[in-house]
Amino acid sequence: MRHISLRALALFILLLLAHIAVAETPNRVTILYDSFGKFPTLTMDWGFAALVEYGGKRILFDTGNNAQVFEHNVKAAGVDLRNLDFVVMSHRHGDHMGGLAHLLKVNRTVKIYSPKERSGVYGDDQPSSTWYRKDASLPAEQRYYRGSPPEIIHMGEAWPGANFQLIDRNTEIAPGMYLIALVSDKPGTLELRELSLAIRTPAGLVLVVGCSHPGVERIVQEATAINPHIYILFGGLHQIQAQDPEVERIATVLHNQYRLERVAPGHCTGEPEFAALRKTFGDHYVYAGVGSVVDLPK
């Protein structure tokens, strides 16, 4: 009995220490890459990357435009990329994935969630039964794989050996943490697939977007199915070339229709949209230039 009691006590202590460790970990978002900021120790450049820390998890969201700049900013911010739970690549544009070379240099095996696209840069697997039409009347030397293709045809990734996990639907990737998968229907980015990160907190959802190519309204609408209350929205809203009526409309929709509590826009949101959101949200507009650290509710 005494042996069992000691084991139970030891287990209780371990659980208590684990609980204390999680409770003491920061809940915050650190902006590692953007083209505006007020911290001279970090370099400004077009692109986006953020470290999201919540509930004991450390998540890198995108990697910026340039591997050298990304490396510099990560080190200047005191961030250790060897200690990540997973990475989210929002989409395949270079200003979000350019820093992957540095990430993989220091953390080769980290799990990287990426959009699943046919023959995309993050790799792809397609069943040969549906990948192409076949014609058995051709001689074997004129047929793909001499008429006997493998069951699965693997399309190579731009970073061989990286641990890509391809996502094509809304997915809960950890307790209370979700990836929202949408496809752009906008001219110029038609069929571009993009992932956004949503995290449940007691105060509402924390929503992190890359460029909002599918439309920020669509992303927010999907997020409200997880929790109708969005505590804060980070990232690019892709209003960089939008004219004033659309700029004002987006600010009003986010505030009045979806009732976002706070916004922390960055990257491709656009300067006029920054101004409109600041005016609309007032004290609930959160500055999030490169180097900014924004605390999250526990």
Side-chain angles (χ1 to χ4, degrees):
M1 284 292 293
R2 184 167 179 267
H3 177 65
I4 295 174
S5 297
L6 288 173
R7 287 182 60 187
L9 178 61
L11 179 59
F12 172 78
I13 292 172
L14 287 173
L15 291 173
L16 180 62
L17 290 174
H19 176 76
I20 292 172
V22 169
E24 289 181 348
T25 56
N27 292 309
R28 62 191 180 188
V29 173
T30 303
I31 307 300
L32 297 173
Y33 212 106
D34 214 321
S35 53
F36 69 101
K38 55 186 178 182
F39 296 95
T41 55
L42 281 84
T43 300
M44 290 180 287
D45 185 36
W46 190 261
F48 186 69
L51 178 69
V52 182
E53 297 172 277
Y54 189 80
K57 299 288 188 185
R58 302 181 79 249
I59 306 147
L60 178 65
F61 188 95
D62 285 341
T63 62
N65 182 59
N66 177 281
Q68 287 72 42
V69 173
F70 180 62
E71 178 180 6
H72 168 80
N73 286 353
V74 164
K75 290 178 178 177
V79 170
D80 186 357
L81 295 179
R82 297 170 300 177
N83 181 23
L84 295 173
D85 289 280
F86 51 85
V87 177
V88 177
M89 300 303 301
S90 65
H91 61 295
R92 57 175 158 81
H93 283 170
D95 54 339
H96 294 256
M97 65 184 188
L100 263 174
H102 174 65
L103 169 68
L104 294 173
K105 183 171 69 176
V106 299
N107 194 340
R108 188 68 185 173
T109 61
V110 66
K111 183 182 292 184
I112 305 172
Y113 291 105
S114 310
K116 179 177 174 59
E117 296 186 293
R118 178 168 280 204
S119 303
V121 294
Y122 301 116
D124 188 24
D125 289 313
Q126 293 290 336
S128 60
S129 60
T130 58
W131 176 243
Y132 63 92
R133 293 182 60 211
K134 301 171 178 61
D135 190 337
S137 70
L138 290 171
E141 67 271 15
Q142 203 171 341
R143 300 194 65 196
Y144 301 131
Y145 303 97
R146 297 186 63 84
S148 300
E151 184 176 342
I152 298 295
I153 297 176
H154 178 69
M155 307 296 171
E157 54 281 330
W159 298 270
N163 183 15
F164 292 116
Q165 307 290 310
L166 304 181
I167 301 294
D168 62 357
R169 58 179 57 86
N170 294 354
T171 306
E172 186 173 14
I173 53 175
M177 296 185 175
Y178 306 82
L179 291 179
I180 297 170
L182 290 172
V183 184
S184 173
D185 58 2
K186 306 293 190 297
T189 58
L190 191 63
E191 297 186 353
L192 177 71
R193 296 176 180 269
E194 185 166 334
L195 301 179
S196 304
L197 175 67
I199 301 175
R200 285 186 182 274
T201 78
L205 277 188
V206 171
L207 182 60
V208 187
V209 300
C211 265
S212 302
H213 288 297
V216 65
E217 292 171 87
R218 287 182 63 201
I219 295 171
V220 168
Q221 179 64 43
E222 288 286 320
T224 58
I226 301 169
N227 186 335
H229 179 60
I230 296 175
Y231 171 75
I232 190 168
L233 168 65
F234 290 92
L237 308 190
H238 212 263
Q239 298 295 301
I240 192 167
Q241 293 182 330
Q243 298 304 303
D244 287 348
E246 179 63 7
V247 165
E248 296 292 339
R249 189 188 71 82
I250 288 295
T252 300
V253 164
L254 295 180
H255 185 269
N256 295 352
Q257 180 178 336
Y258 290 105
R259 299 187 180 279
L260 273 64
E261 188 171 336
R262 290 171 171 78
V263 290
H267 185 42
C268 60
T269 296
E271 294 181 3
E273 191 69 67
F274 287 154
L277 290 167
R278 189 182 188 102
K279 178 181 177 182
T280 302
F281 280 83
D283 291 343
H284 286 191
Y285 180 96
V286 179
Y287 177 82
V290 63
S292 296
V293 179
V294 181
D295 290 330
L296 300 177
K298 298 192 180 194

